[in-house]
Amino acid sequence: MLVLGIDTSCDDTSVAVVEDGTKILSNIVSSQDVIHKKYGGVVPELASRRHLEIINFVVEKALKEAGIKLNALDCIAVTRGPGLVGALLIGMMTAKSLAYVHDLPLVGVNHLEAHIYANFLEFSSLKPPFVSLVISGGHTDLIYFHDFDQYKILGRTRDDAVGEAFDKVAKFLNLGYPGGPVIDRLSREGDAKKIRFPRPFLGKSFDFSFSGLKTAVVNYVVSRKENNSAADIVAGFQQSVIEVLTAKAINAAKEMKVGKIVLGGGVSANSALRKYLKTQAKKNRIKVYFPALCLCTDNAAMIACLGYYKMKKYFKDVKNRCFSLQQLDLNVEPNLKIEENFSL
Ligand code: KG4
Ligand code: ZN
């Protein structure tokens, strides 16, 4: 089954073609970083306008790279939420137009759920149950993935998402945008043990809170007690974040009695987290799955992959196109939650 995936949930315009949920034929990601850089964060209106300008070119490029024509597709999958409403609408309208004109079934998927499915693209033997940590610019969710479409939220952030904390700390230190990759790189030159920032564990709760940690970094810099370098500061901040994420993910896996932790979202590209979590999990005989770096951050291959699984489960006969028109009343859901288990 050939699925065209479209994602315009935030500031990347992405279109991919994936065969049978595993084989990536193309995965085009057009980044808007240069547009938003000068503001130190995503400007929603600018994001929507840029999506609109380039979405058709990105669709064309994805098809060309995959070496297929639109009439060879079996289905179109598009992100219906969560995300920025204006940005989501561009992807949704594009998907609906293509589905209508080419008489294809259309499936709307949850972007966070797709971040987890990025792992199914790579690890064909991965099977639930497992604990999943979705860590991105907008979300920090610890999820018990019991089976396909059976999720339980164990905890989530009470304030800033973890990627947001990386971005805000980088912005405060004038390090550039997006902050996560910059802090990841700069931390390698610093000493993570030099400055000990608080570890926001919130007792035994599986919830997260990174806003206080971000303020602790700001207060430290403002008071400038010692003359530590930016590399030491960000390395100390990053260490605090990864210790909290790691401890909670491992505790959750133990509590749910599963031997697997599956990561997803932009922050799972963090090199220090990948190393630390793997080492700690091994000590507890837990296996950790991370998507390849290019599949951690936003991309449409993961949308097409999830679309494939939804199609297989809910639309028995894909070639029977009788569902296509019904799906044209799909709408975007900017605040869609992963446990709102209605992704079609
Ligand atoms: O999943 P994603 O591409 O978009 C959202 O759905 O939000 O995640 C983007 C977030 C940004 O906050 C970015 O700073 C962070 O992921 N990020 C990282 C790294 N690469 C991207 N954070 C820490 N270390 C990284 N290497
Ligand atoms: Zn994302």
Side-chain angles (χ1 to χ4, degrees), residues 84-132:
L84 302 169
V85 63
L88 287 166
L89 277 167
I90 308 298
M92 181 59 81
M93 295 315 290
T94 307
K96 280 186 182 178
S97 313
L98 290 172
Y100 183 70
V101 172
H102 297 277
D103 194 21
L104 290 164
L106 175 66
V107 53
V109 303
N110 182 314
H111 178 88
L112 294 182
E113 196 180 355
H115 269 305
I116 303 173
Y117 274 68
N119 291 278
F120 293 118
L121 277 167
E122 288 193 88
F123 310 110
S124 50
S125 58
L126 175 61
K127 297 264 178 315
F130 50 75
V131 158
S132 187

mmCIF file of all heavy atoms in Angstrom, residues 84-132:
data_model
loop_
_atom_site.group_PDB
_atom_site.id
_atom_site.type_symbol
_atom_site.label_atom_id
_atom_site.label_comp_id
_atom_site.label_asym_id
_atom_site.label_seq_id
_atom_site.Cartn_x
_atom_site.Cartn_y
_atom_site.Cartn_z
ATOM 1 N N LEU A 84 -0.422 24.083 15.329
ATOM 2 C CA LEU A 84 -0.899 25.454 15.120
ATOM 3 C C LEU A 84 -2.054 25.399 14.120
ATOM 4 O O LEU A 84 -1.906 24.812 13.044
ATOM 5 C CB LEU A 84 0.228 26.320 14.546
ATOM 6 C CG LEU A 84 1.501 26.392 15.387
ATOM 7 C CD1 LEU A 84 2.625 27.048 14.590
ATOM 8 C CD2 LEU A 84 1.232 27.159 16.672
ATOM 9 N N VAL A 85 -3.170 26.022 14.489
ATOM 10 C CA VAL A 85 -4.377 25.849 13.669
ATOM 11 C C VAL A 85 -4.174 26.270 12.212
ATOM 12 O O VAL A 85 -4.539 25.536 11.288
ATOM 13 C CB VAL A 85 -5.618 26.521 14.330
ATOM 14 C CG1 VAL A 85 -5.465 28.022 14.458
ATOM 15 C CG2 VAL A 85 -6.868 26.189 13.546
ATOM 16 N N GLY A 86 -3.592 27.441 12.001
ATOM 17 C CA GLY A 86 -3.397 27.928 10.625
ATOM 18 C C GLY A 86 -2.474 27.021 9.831
ATOM 19 O O GLY A 86 -2.700 26.770 8.651
ATOM 20 N N ALA A 87 -1.441 26.537 10.477
ATOM 21 C CA ALA A 87 -0.467 25.662 9.827
ATOM 22 C C ALA A 87 -1.121 24.320 9.483
ATOM 23 O O ALA A 87 -0.999 23.821 8.346
ATOM 24 C CB ALA A 87 0.740 25.460 10.742
ATOM 25 N N LEU A 88 -1.848 23.744 10.435
ATOM 26 C CA LEU A 88 -2.525 22.458 10.206
ATOM 27 C C LEU A 88 -3.492 22.543 9.024
ATOM 28 O O LEU A 88 -3.599 21.610 8.216
ATOM 29 C CB LEU A 88 -3.324 22.053 11.451
ATOM 30 C CG LEU A 88 -2.548 21.564 12.674
ATOM 31 C CD1 LEU A 88 -3.456 21.539 13.904
ATOM 32 C CD2 LEU A 88 -1.968 20.167 12.425
ATOM 33 N N LEU A 89 -4.197 23.689 8.940
ATOM 34 C CA LEU A 89 -5.211 23.835 7.892
ATOM 35 C C LEU A 89 -4.622 23.741 6.486
ATOM 36 O O LEU A 89 -5.265 23.219 5.576
ATOM 37 C CB LEU A 89 -5.943 25.184 8.055
ATOM 38 C CG LEU A 89 -7.080 25.178 9.081
ATOM 39 C CD1 LEU A 89 -7.523 26.599 9.398
ATOM 40 C CD2 LEU A 89 -8.263 24.350 8.587
ATOM 41 N N ILE A 90 -3.394 24.213 6.314
ATOM 42 C CA ILE A 90 -2.782 24.167 4.972
ATOM 43 C C ILE A 90 -2.576 22.703 4.551
ATOM 44 O O ILE A 90 -2.909 22.318 3.434
ATOM 45 C CB ILE A 90 -1.422 24.919 4.930
ATOM 46 C CG1 ILE A 90 -1.549 26.338 5.486
ATOM 47 C CG2 ILE A 90 -0.836 24.906 3.508
ATOM 48 C CD1 ILE A 90 -2.471 27.258 4.740
ATOM 49 N N GLY A 91 -2.055 21.896 5.464
ATOM 50 C CA GLY A 91 -1.850 20.475 5.155
ATOM 51 C C GLY A 91 -3.182 19.781 4.930
ATOM 52 O O GLY A 91 -3.340 18.979 3.988
ATOM 53 N N MET A 92 -4.173 20.097 5.774
ATOM 54 C CA MET A 92 -5.483 19.444 5.676
ATOM 55 C C MET A 92 -6.163 19.783 4.358
ATOM 56 O O MET A 92 -6.693 18.894 3.674
ATOM 57 C CB MET A 92 -6.348 19.880 6.876
ATOM 58 C CG MET A 92 -7.723 19.276 6.921
ATOM 59 S SD MET A 92 -7.698 17.459 6.977
ATOM 60 C CE MET A 92 -7.396 17.147 8.709
ATOM 61 N N MET A 93 -6.126 21.056 3.953
ATOM 62 C CA MET A 93 -6.790 21.450 2.711
ATOM 63 C C MET A 93 -6.085 20.829 1.490
ATOM 64 O O MET A 93 -6.739 20.426 0.528
ATOM 65 C CB MET A 93 -6.840 22.984 2.557
ATOM 66 C CG MET A 93 -7.682 23.683 3.600
ATOM 67 S SD MET A 93 -9.265 22.895 3.917
ATOM 68 C CE MET A 93 -10.122 23.230 2.404
ATOM 69 N N THR A 94 -4.761 20.750 1.576
ATOM 70 C CA THR A 94 -4.007 20.127 0.479
ATOM 71 C C THR A 94 -4.397 18.653 0.362
ATOM 72 O O THR A 94 -4.669 18.142 -0.731
ATOM 73 C CB THR A 94 -2.487 20.242 0.759
ATOM 74 O OG1 THR A 94 -2.177 21.596 1.007
ATOM 75 C CG2 THR A 94 -1.662 19.718 -0.394
ATOM 76 N N ALA A 95 -4.432 17.984 1.518
ATOM 77 C CA ALA A 95 -4.755 16.550 1.523
ATOM 78 C C ALA A 95 -6.170 16.305 1.002
ATOM 79 O O ALA A 95 -6.411 15.390 0.208
ATOM 80 C CB ALA A 95 -4.599 16.003 2.946
ATOM 81 N N LYS A 96 -7.101 17.136 1.448
ATOM 82 C CA LYS A 96 -8.497 16.972 1.004
ATOM 83 C C LYS A 96 -8.615 17.191 -0.496
ATOM 84 O O LYS A 96 -9.325 16.449 -1.183
ATOM 85 C CB LYS A 96 -9.396 17.983 1.723
ATOM 86 C CG LYS A 96 -9.785 17.580 3.120
ATOM 87 C CD LYS A 96 -10.778 18.598 3.650
ATOM 88 C CE LYS A 96 -11.174 18.287 5.067
ATOM 89 N NZ LYS A 96 -12.102 19.277 5.604
ATOM 90 N N SER A 97 -7.927 18.217 -0.996
ATOM 91 C CA SER A 97 -8.017 18.502 -2.443
ATOM 92 C C SER A 97 -7.482 17.325 -3.239
ATOM 93 O O SER A 97 -8.113 16.880 -4.207
ATOM 94 C CB SER A 97 -7.205 19.742 -2.816
ATOM 95 O OG SER A 97 -7.478 20.772 -1.932
ATOM 96 N N LEU A 98 -6.334 16.809 -2.832
ATOM 97 C CA LEU A 98 -5.736 15.677 -3.562
ATOM 98 C C LEU A 98 -6.633 14.452 -3.477
ATOM 99 O O LEU A 98 -6.836 13.740 -4.460
ATOM 100 C CB LEU A 98 -4.346 15.355 -2.987
ATOM 101 C CG LEU A 98 -3.240 16.392 -3.262
ATOM 102 C CD1 LEU A 98 -1.978 16.053 -2.471
ATOM 103 C CD2 LEU A 98 -2.930 16.455 -4.758
ATOM 104 N N ALA A 99 -7.189 14.206 -2.291
ATOM 105 C CA ALA A 99 -8.050 13.030 -2.099
ATOM 106 C C ALA A 99 -9.300 13.141 -2.969
ATOM 107 O O ALA A 99 -9.728 12.173 -3.599
ATOM 108 C CB ALA A 99 -8.427 12.897 -0.629
ATOM 109 N N TYR A 100 -9.856 14.346 -3.026
ATOM 110 C CA TYR A 100 -11.087 14.555 -3.793
ATOM 111 C C TYR A 100 -10.834 14.396 -5.293
ATOM 112 O O TYR A 100 -11.523 13.645 -5.981
ATOM 113 C CB TYR A 100 -11.643 15.949 -3.475
ATOM 114 C CG TYR A 100 -12.949 16.228 -4.164
ATOM 115 C CD1 TYR A 100 -14.113 15.566 -3.775
ATOM 116 C CD2 TYR A 100 -13.018 17.144 -5.202
ATOM 117 C CE1 TYR A 100 -15.318 15.800 -4.411
ATOM 118 C CE2 TYR A 100 -14.219 17.387 -5.851
ATOM 119 C CZ TYR A 100 -15.364 16.711 -5.456
ATOM 120 O OH TYR A 100 -16.546 16.943 -6.093
ATOM 121 N N VAL A 101 -9.790 15.081 -5.760
ATOM 122 C CA VAL A 101 -9.509 15.075 -7.200
ATOM 123 C C VAL A 101 -9.103 13.685 -7.690
ATOM 124 O O VAL A 101 -9.487 13.252 -8.769
ATOM 125 C CB VAL A 101 -8.420 16.121 -7.536
ATOM 126 C CG1 VAL A 101 -7.958 16.006 -8.987
ATOM 127 C CG2 VAL A 101 -8.939 17.521 -7.262
ATOM 128 N N HIS A 102 -8.339 12.980 -6.864
ATOM 129 C CA HIS A 102 -7.816 11.680 -7.316
ATOM 130 C C HIS A 102 -8.587 10.506 -6.716
ATOM 131 O O HIS A 102 -8.155 9.363 -6.829
ATOM 132 C CB HIS A 102 -6.318 11.584 -6.993
ATOM 133 C CG HIS A 102 -5.533 12.619 -7.730
ATOM 134 N ND1 HIS A 102 -5.116 12.453 -9.028
ATOM 135 C CD2 HIS A 102 -5.152 13.862 -7.357
ATOM 136 C CE1 HIS A 102 -4.489 13.553 -9.421
ATOM 137 N NE2 HIS A 102 -4.495 14.424 -8.429
ATOM 138 N N ASP A 103 -9.704 10.810 -6.053
ATOM 139 C CA ASP A 103 -10.584 9.789 -5.505
ATOM 140 C C ASP A 103 -9.830 8.801 -4.603
ATOM 141 O O ASP A 103 -9.857 7.589 -4.800
ATOM 142 C CB ASP A 103 -11.288 9.043 -6.658
ATOM 143 C CG ASP A 103 -12.451 8.217 -6.137
ATOM 144 O OD1 ASP A 103 -12.935 8.530 -5.043
ATOM 145 O OD2 ASP A 103 -12.839 7.254 -6.820
ATOM 146 N N LEU A 104 -9.136 9.377 -3.628
ATOM 147 C CA LEU A 104 -8.347 8.544 -2.710
ATOM 148 C C LEU A 104 -8.924 8.612 -1.305
ATOM 149 O O LEU A 104 -9.422 9.659 -0.887
ATOM 150 C CB LEU A 104 -6.901 9.064 -2.654
ATOM 151 C CG LEU A 104 -6.056 8.853 -3.901
ATOM 152 C CD1 LEU A 104 -4.820 9.727 -3.854
ATOM 153 C CD2 LEU A 104 -5.671 7.386 -4.011
ATOM 154 N N PRO A 105 -8.818 7.535 -0.536
ATOM 155 C CA PRO A 105 -9.232 7.614 0.862
ATOM 156 C C PRO A 105 -8.301 8.558 1.618
ATOM 157 O O PRO A 105 -7.116 8.637 1.309
ATOM 158 C CB PRO A 105 -9.054 6.189 1.389
ATOM 159 C CG PRO A 105 -8.699 5.351 0.237
ATOM 160 C CD PRO A 105 -8.273 6.228 -0.888
ATOM 161 N N LEU A 106 -8.872 9.259 2.598
ATOM 162 C CA LEU A 106 -8.105 10.236 3.365
ATOM 163 C C LEU A 106 -8.155 9.852 4.831
ATOM 164 O O LEU A 106 -9.233 9.561 5.360
ATOM 165 C CB LEU A 106 -8.748 11.611 3.160
ATOM 166 C CG LEU A 106 -8.200 12.789 3.946
ATOM 167 C CD1 LEU A 106 -6.771 13.103 3.509
ATOM 168 C CD2 LEU A 106 -9.081 14.023 3.716
ATOM 169 N N VAL A 107 -7.017 9.842 5.479
ATOM 170 C CA VAL A 107 -7.011 9.501 6.894
ATOM 171 C C VAL A 107 -6.287 10.597 7.680
ATOM 172 O O VAL A 107 -5.186 11.004 7.319
ATOM 173 C CB VAL A 107 -6.427 8.067 7.128
ATOM 174 C CG1 VAL A 107 -5.092 7.891 6.493
ATOM 175 C CG2 VAL A 107 -6.329 7.738 8.610
ATOM 176 N N GLY A 108 -6.965 11.108 8.720
ATOM 177 C CA GLY A 108 -6.384 12.164 9.556
ATOM 178 C C GLY A 108 -5.725 11.520 10.762
ATOM 179 O O GLY A 108 -6.322 10.665 11.419
ATOM 180 N N VAL A 109 -4.481 11.885 11.046
ATOM 181 C CA VAL A 109 -3.782 11.211 12.151
ATOM 182 C C VAL A 109 -3.281 12.196 13.200
ATOM 183 O O VAL A 109 -3.157 13.391 12.952
ATOM 184 C CB VAL A 109 -2.601 10.322 11.652
ATOM 185 C CG1 VAL A 109 -3.074 9.286 10.670
ATOM 186 C CG2 VAL A 109 -1.484 11.151 11.066
ATOM 187 N N ASN A 110 -2.995 11.628 14.364
ATOM 188 C CA ASN A 110 -2.485 12.398 15.500
ATOM 189 C C ASN A 110 -0.958 12.498 15.395
ATOM 190 O O ASN A 110 -0.258 11.486 15.338
ATOM 191 C CB ASN A 110 -2.906 11.671 16.788
ATOM 192 C CG ASN A 110 -2.477 12.412 18.028
ATOM 193 O OD1 ASN A 110 -1.340 12.862 18.142
ATOM 194 N ND2 ASN A 110 -3.395 12.530 18.973
ATOM 195 N N HIS A 111 -0.476 13.714 15.395
ATOM 196 C CA HIS A 111 0.960 13.971 15.210
ATOM 197 C C HIS A 111 1.815 13.322 16.317
ATOM 198 O O HIS A 111 2.894 12.781 16.046
ATOM 199 C CB HIS A 111 1.161 15.494 15.203
ATOM 200 C CG HIS A 111 2.565 15.946 15.070
ATOM 201 N ND1 HIS A 111 3.172 16.148 13.852
ATOM 202 C CD2 HIS A 111 3.499 16.247 15.998
ATOM 203 C CE1 HIS A 111 4.413 16.560 14.047
ATOM 204 N NE2 HIS A 111 4.641 16.625 15.340
ATOM 205 N N LEU A 112 1.322 13.338 17.544
ATOM 206 C CA LEU A 112 2.102 12.763 18.663
ATOM 207 C C LEU A 112 2.183 11.253 18.543
ATOM 208 O O LEU A 112 3.221 10.639 18.776
ATOM 209 C CB LEU A 112 1.457 13.113 20.007
ATOM 210 C CG LEU A 112 1.475 14.578 20.374
ATOM 211 C CD1 LEU A 112 0.863 14.779 21.745
ATOM 212 C CD2 LEU A 112 2.894 15.111 20.366
ATOM 213 N N GLU A 113 1.056 10.663 18.179
ATOM 214 C CA GLU A 113 1.008 9.214 17.971
ATOM 215 C C GLU A 113 1.998 8.858 16.852
ATOM 216 O O GLU A 113 2.720 7.857 16.934
ATOM 217 C CB GLU A 113 -0.428 8.855 17.569
ATOM 218 C CG GLU A 113 -0.799 7.407 17.674
ATOM 219 C CD GLU A 113 -2.260 7.196 17.250
ATOM 220 O OE1 GLU A 113 -2.984 8.172 16.968
ATOM 221 O OE2 GLU A 113 -2.662 6.023 17.201
ATOM 222 N N ALA A 114 2.053 9.709 15.830
ATOM 223 C CA ALA A 114 2.965 9.455 14.704
ATOM 224 C C ALA A 114 4.430 9.509 15.150
ATOM 225 O O ALA A 114 5.259 8.751 14.639
ATOM 226 C CB ALA A 114 2.709 10.461 13.585
ATOM 227 N N HIS A 115 4.743 10.380 16.107
ATOM 228 C CA HIS A 115 6.130 10.418 16.610
ATOM 229 C C HIS A 115 6.529 9.039 17.172
ATOM 230 O O HIS A 115 7.666 8.611 17.034
ATOM 231 C CB HIS A 115 6.286 11.478 17.700
ATOM 232 C CG HIS A 115 6.696 12.830 17.172
ATOM 233 N ND1 HIS A 115 7.813 13.020 16.401
ATOM 234 C CD2 HIS A 115 6.137 14.059 17.322
ATOM 235 C CE1 HIS A 115 7.932 14.305 16.091
ATOM 236 N NE2 HIS A 115 6.923 14.956 16.625
ATOM 237 N N ILE A 116 5.603 8.350 17.808
ATOM 238 C CA ILE A 116 5.890 7.000 18.329
ATOM 239 C C ILE A 116 6.051 6.030 17.151
ATOM 240 O O ILE A 116 6.966 5.203 17.120
ATOM 241 C CB ILE A 116 4.760 6.511 19.262
ATOM 242 C CG1 ILE A 116 4.552 7.486 20.414
ATOM 243 C CG2 ILE A 116 5.066 5.104 19.783
ATOM 244 C CD1 ILE A 116 3.353 7.173 21.305
ATOM 245 N N TYR A 117 5.181 6.196 16.147
ATOM 246 C CA TYR A 117 5.213 5.281 15.001
ATOM 247 C C TYR A 117 6.476 5.430 14.157
ATOM 248 O O TYR A 117 6.777 4.554 13.341
ATOM 249 C CB TYR A 117 3.956 5.465 14.139
ATOM 250 C CG TYR A 117 2.788 4.640 14.626
ATOM 251 C CD1 TYR A 117 2.170 4.942 15.840
ATOM 252 C CD2 TYR A 117 2.317 3.551 13.916
ATOM 253 C CE1 TYR A 117 1.120 4.189 16.304
ATOM 254 C CE2 TYR A 117 1.257 2.785 14.375
ATOM 255 C CZ TYR A 117 0.661 3.121 15.574
ATOM 256 O OH TYR A 117 -0.370 2.366 16.040
ATOM 257 N N ALA A 118 7.207 6.522 14.322
ATOM 258 C CA ALA A 118 8.487 6.670 13.608
ATOM 259 C C ALA A 118 9.361 5.452 13.901
ATOM 260 O O ALA A 118 10.179 5.040 13.074
ATOM 261 C CB ALA A 118 9.185 7.947 14.049
ATOM 262 N N ASN A 119 9.170 4.857 15.071
ATOM 263 C CA ASN A 119 9.949 3.659 15.429
ATOM 264 C C ASN A 119 9.540 2.427 14.621
ATOM 265 O O ASN A 119 10.372 1.572 14.337
ATOM 266 C CB ASN A 119 9.796 3.361 16.929
ATOM 267 C CG ASN A 119 10.492 4.404 17.775
ATOM 268 O OD1 ASN A 119 11.689 4.341 17.970
ATOM 269 N ND2 ASN A 119 9.734 5.392 18.258
ATOM 270 N N PHE A 120 8.237 2.337 14.270
ATOM 271 C CA PHE A 120 7.788 1.180 13.476
ATOM 272 C C PHE A 120 8.345 1.228 12.055
ATOM 273 O O PHE A 120 8.417 0.212 11.376
ATOM 274 C CB PHE A 120 6.256 1.102 13.452
ATOM 275 C CG PHE A 120 5.654 0.779 14.800
ATOM 276 C CD1 PHE A 120 4.812 1.672 15.440
ATOM 277 C CD2 PHE A 120 5.942 -0.421 15.431
ATOM 278 C CE1 PHE A 120 4.268 1.385 16.685
ATOM 279 C CE2 PHE A 120 5.403 -0.722 16.677
ATOM 280 C CZ PHE A 120 4.562 0.183 17.303
ATOM 281 N N LEU A 121 8.724 2.432 11.609
ATOM 282 C CA LEU A 121 9.356 2.542 10.287
ATOM 283 C C LEU A 121 10.682 1.799 10.260
ATOM 284 O O LEU A 121 11.107 1.293 9.239
ATOM 285 C CB LEU A 121 9.641 4.015 9.968
ATOM 286 C CG LEU A 121 8.505 4.857 9.404
ATOM 287 C CD1 LEU A 121 8.887 6.324 9.454
ATOM 288 C CD2 LEU A 121 8.178 4.461 7.975
ATOM 289 N N GLU A 122 11.340 1.808 11.395
ATOM 290 C CA GLU A 122 12.694 1.257 11.449
ATOM 291 C C GLU A 122 12.786 -0.118 12.070
ATOM 292 O O GLU A 122 13.594 -0.937 11.657
ATOM 293 C CB GLU A 122 13.547 2.186 12.300
ATOM 294 C CG GLU A 122 13.852 3.469 11.611
ATOM 295 C CD GLU A 122 14.933 4.179 12.364
ATOM 296 O OE1 GLU A 122 16.102 3.917 12.082
ATOM 297 O OE2 GLU A 122 14.588 4.951 13.254
ATOM 298 N N PHE A 123 12.008 -0.319 13.139
ATOM 299 C CA PHE A 123 12.118 -1.584 13.881
ATOM 300 C C PHE A 123 10.878 -2.423 13.593
ATOM 301 O O PHE A 123 9.865 -2.318 14.292
ATOM 302 C CB PHE A 123 12.256 -1.310 15.383
ATOM 303 C CG PHE A 123 13.331 -0.299 15.696
ATOM 304 C CD1 PHE A 123 13.008 0.962 16.166
ATOM 305 C CD2 PHE A 123 14.668 -0.617 15.516
ATOM 306 C CE1 PHE A 123 13.982 1.903 16.435
ATOM 307 C CE2 PHE A 123 15.661 0.314 15.792
ATOM 308 C CZ PHE A 123 15.324 1.582 16.255
ATOM 309 N N SER A 124 10.978 -3.245 12.552
ATOM 310 C CA SER A 124 9.789 -3.987 12.129
ATOM 311 C C SER A 124 9.370 -5.017 13.170
ATOM 312 O O SER A 124 8.210 -5.430 13.224
ATOM 313 C CB SER A 124 10.039 -4.654 10.784
ATOM 314 O OG SER A 124 11.258 -5.359 10.832
ATOM 315 N N SER A 125 10.308 -5.412 14.055
ATOM 316 C CA SER A 125 9.939 -6.435 15.040
ATOM 317 C C SER A 125 9.397 -5.820 16.344
ATOM 318 O O SER A 125 9.007 -6.552 17.254
ATOM 319 C CB SER A 125 11.165 -7.297 15.363
ATOM 320 O OG SER A 125 12.190 -6.464 15.849
ATOM 321 N N LEU A 126 9.383 -4.488 16.419
ATOM 322 C CA LEU A 126 8.891 -3.833 17.651
ATOM 323 C C LEU A 126 7.403 -4.102 17.843
ATOM 324 O O LEU A 126 6.592 -3.856 16.969
ATOM 325 C CB LEU A 126 9.142 -2.315 17.562
ATOM 326 C CG LEU A 126 8.579 -1.467 18.708
ATOM 327 C CD1 LEU A 126 9.188 -1.856 20.058
ATOM 328 C CD2 LEU A 126 8.791 0.020 18.451
ATOM 329 N N LYS A 127 7.080 -4.628 19.054
ATOM 330 C CA LYS A 127 5.669 -4.936 19.342
ATOM 331 C C LYS A 127 5.291 -4.346 20.696
ATOM 332 O O LYS A 127 6.116 -4.352 21.614
ATOM 333 C CB LYS A 127 5.458 -6.469 19.427
ATOM 334 C CG LYS A 127 5.746 -7.214 18.129
ATOM 335 C CD LYS A 127 4.472 -7.437 17.334
ATOM 336 C CE LYS A 127 4.682 -8.128 16.004
ATOM 337 N NZ LYS A 127 5.751 -7.697 15.149
ATOM 338 N N PRO A 128 4.041 -3.851 20.852
ATOM 339 C CA PRO A 128 3.597 -3.429 22.167
ATOM 340 C C PRO A 128 3.419 -4.656 23.070
ATOM 341 O O PRO A 128 3.353 -5.769 22.524
ATOM 342 C CB PRO A 128 2.265 -2.736 21.881
ATOM 343 C CG PRO A 128 1.868 -3.115 20.492
ATOM 344 C CD PRO A 128 3.039 -3.719 19.810
ATOM 345 N N PRO A 129 3.346 -4.531 24.396
ATOM 346 C CA PRO A 129 3.252 -3.266 25.127
ATOM 347 C C PRO A 129 4.614 -2.640 25.403
ATOM 348 O O PRO A 129 5.608 -3.343 25.497
ATOM 349 C CB PRO A 129 2.591 -3.700 26.446
ATOM 350 C CG PRO A 129 3.051 -5.105 26.655
ATOM 351 C CD PRO A 129 3.178 -5.701 25.284
ATOM 352 N N PHE A 130 4.612 -1.312 25.524
ATOM 353 C CA PHE A 130 5.822 -0.607 25.931
ATOM 354 C C PHE A 130 5.444 0.743 26.550
ATOM 355 O O PHE A 130 4.284 1.164 26.477
ATOM 356 C CB PHE A 130 6.796 -0.435 24.770
ATOM 357 C CG PHE A 130 6.206 0.141 23.495
ATOM 358 C CD1 PHE A 130 5.897 1.487 23.398
ATOM 359 C CD2 PHE A 130 5.986 -0.677 22.382
ATOM 360 C CE1 PHE A 130 5.376 2.024 22.230
ATOM 361 C CE2 PHE A 130 5.455 -0.140 21.201
ATOM 362 C CZ PHE A 130 5.150 1.215 21.129
ATOM 363 N N VAL A 131 6.450 1.379 27.131
ATOM 364 C CA VAL A 131 6.249 2.731 27.646
ATOM 365 C C VAL A 131 6.864 3.672 26.627
ATOM 366 O O VAL A 131 7.931 3.394 26.080
ATOM 367 C CB VAL A 131 6.913 2.885 29.032
ATOM 368 C CG1 VAL A 131 7.188 4.343 29.353
ATOM 369 C CG2 VAL A 131 6.011 2.283 30.104
ATOM 370 N N SER A 132 6.173 4.763 26.323
ATOM 371 C CA SER A 132 6.702 5.690 25.325
ATOM 372 C C SER A 132 6.839 7.102 25.897
ATOM 373 O O SER A 132 5.980 7.554 26.654
ATOM 374 C CB SER A 132 5.777 5.693 24.109
ATOM 375 O OG SER A 132 6.368 6.456 23.090
#
